[in-house]
Amino acid sequence: MVTASRADLPGATPGPGPAGTIIETEALVPGLIHRMRFVAPAIARKRRAGQFILLRVDADGERIPLTIADADPNEGTLTIVWQVVGLTTSKLAQLRAGDRLLDVAGPLGLPTHIEPWGRVACVCGGIGTAPMYPIAQALRAAGNEVDTIIGARTKDLLILGGEMAQASDRVLFCTDDGSLGYHGFVSGLLDERIAAGERYGHVFAIGPVPMMKATVAVAKKHGIAATVSLNPVMVDGTGMCGGCRVTVNAETKFCCVDGPEFDGWGVDFDELQKRLASYREYERRALEAHDCRIGLGGR
């Protein structure tokens, strides 16, 4: 694991700026989903598909885990994609090119387990498309044929379709409202394709917990092993705080050191959903207090 902080920034790294410097930002879905590329040469050289970072925006902020969506080891940069869901992700969305992240630690977590399964299905829901991107690239590089299914509530919330098209052999879209592609959920489309004769050696699913639970249920019904990537509350990234514990195959696991990817058949999704929901009220209050300070001229 490599850490970078402002304490060692000036002149510490080559490339387009000191570690933590933001190169560019982009609103993939204005006000909701954002993409950022920033300088982190040591992490960019070591990261592998499935791994993540912990970052802090400022000294008063919390650490948040974000999967590395892409990396350029030659340029020394990382790319992250996130959805605004609370105070820290809201602050992150306010940063612009030239600003600096306070500190970044990574790469963390175990890399994605890749095998030559033959044909695999990568099933993404919402922001889950971002962490799936490097996995699809790695699966294809290992000789697998990759079918990607991307879902969102409406067509305006679908992201990274072009990138996934390059990383996959075929891409299929789903929308809850039928505004683009299959009218329904990603799990429904996967079920229909398998029932129609498509043969997959493995299924990967990343997205909201209910979506992963439903997708794993479809894979299990057809006897196909499934891998999911979990993103619970995480504090230190070393397995010490216990905040990211999940139950997999009746055993306690810690996402930061044992994951973030697990055997989907064995994950207790109901327990995970309850743990995630327990922090929503705190996030809402923190975000409302932050917005109030901005309105008064403070930050």
Side-chain angles (χ1 to χ4, degrees), residues 225-276:
T227 297
V228 295
S229 181
L230 307 183
N231 188 26
V233 173
M234 196 177 293
V235 179
D236 63 1
T238 67
M240 296 294 290
C241 75
C244 66
R245 67 182 181 275
V246 294
T247 300
V248 183
N249 294 318
E251 295 183 0
T252 297
K253 299 290 184 181
F254 299 95
C255 278
C256 62
V257 293
D258 299 319
E261 295 175 3
F262 295 98
D263 167 22
W265 286 25
V267 172
D268 187 336
F269 288 106
D270 294 334
E271 177 193 67
L272 175 61
Q273 184 73 28
K274 290 177 181 177
R275 287 183 56 79
L276 288 171

Side-chain angles (χ1 to χ4, degrees), residues 79-268:
T79 298
I80 55 174
V81 177
W82 75 97
Q83 180 172 333
V84 175
V85 294
L87 177 58
T88 301
T89 50
S90 177
K91 287 182 177 178
L92 194 59
Q94 295 170 30
L95 299 178
R96 296 293 179 263
D99 292 340
R100 291 181 184 175
L101 300 169
L102 179 65
D103 48 45
V104 182
L108 296 163
L110 302 177
T112 301
H113 174 73
I114 302 289
E115 289 186 25
W117 283 291
R119 191 173 186 181
V120 297
C122 292
V123 185
C124 329
I127 193 70
T129 308
M132 189 68 84
Y133 177 54
I135 295 172
Q137 289 179 310
L139 287 167
R140 209 174 184 199
N144 292 287
E145 186 176 350
V146 178
D147 284 4
T148 295
I149 300 174
I150 304 175
R153 294 196 305 275
T154 74
K155 66 178 182 180
D156 295 333
L157 298 177
L158 290 165
I159 62 169
L160 304 181
E163 288 84 347
M164 292 304 292
Q166 293 183 354
S168 311
D169 292 277
R170 57 192 63 80
V171 174
L172 302 165
F173 295 102
C174 296
T175 48
D176 296 0
D177 64 357
S179 53
L180 182 67
Y182 177 83
H183 188 176
F185 299 140
V186 290
S187 54
L189 179 55
L190 177 67
D191 193 22
E192 289 189 10
R193 289 180 64 80
I194 297 173
E198 298 289 357
R199 294 290 177 263
Y200 295 113
H202 203 90
V203 171
F204 285 82
I206 308 179
V209 173
M211 167 261 165
M212 290 192 288
K213 180 181 178 181
T215 302
V216 167
V218 169
K220 191 172 183 178
K221 182 177 78 171
H222 294 284
I224 305 172
T227 297
V228 295
S229 181
L230 307 183
N231 188 26
V233 173
M234 196 177 293
V235 179
D236 63 1
T238 67
M240 296 294 290
C241 75
C244 66
R245 67 182 181 275
V246 294
T247 300
V248 183
N249 294 318
E251 295 183 0
T252 297
K253 299 290 184 181
F254 299 95
C255 278
C256 62
V257 293
D258 299 319
E261 295 175 3
F262 295 98
D263 167 22
W265 286 25
V267 172
D268 187 336

Side-chain angles (χ1 to χ4, degrees), residues 3-9 18-25 35-40 43 53-59 62 64 66 77-80 82 88-89 91-105 299:
T3 61
S5 67
R6 283 181 178 164
D8 58 6
L9 286 178
T21 300
I22 297 168
I23 304 302
E24 62 179 359
T25 62
R35 175 161 55 188
M36 173 186 292
R37 185 164 60 93
F38 62 93
V39 178
I43 301 174
I53 57 172
L54 284 174
L55 66 79
R56 284 194 303 165
V57 175
D58 54 45
E62 61 179 345
I64 60 169
L66 290 169
T77 59
L78 299 181
T79 298
I80 55 174
W82 75 97
T88 301
T89 50
K91 287 182 177 178
L92 194 59
Q94 295 170 30
L95 299 178
R96 296 293 179 263
D99 292 340
R100 291 181 184 175
L101 300 169
L102 179 65
D103 48 45
V104 182
R299 181 175 175 181

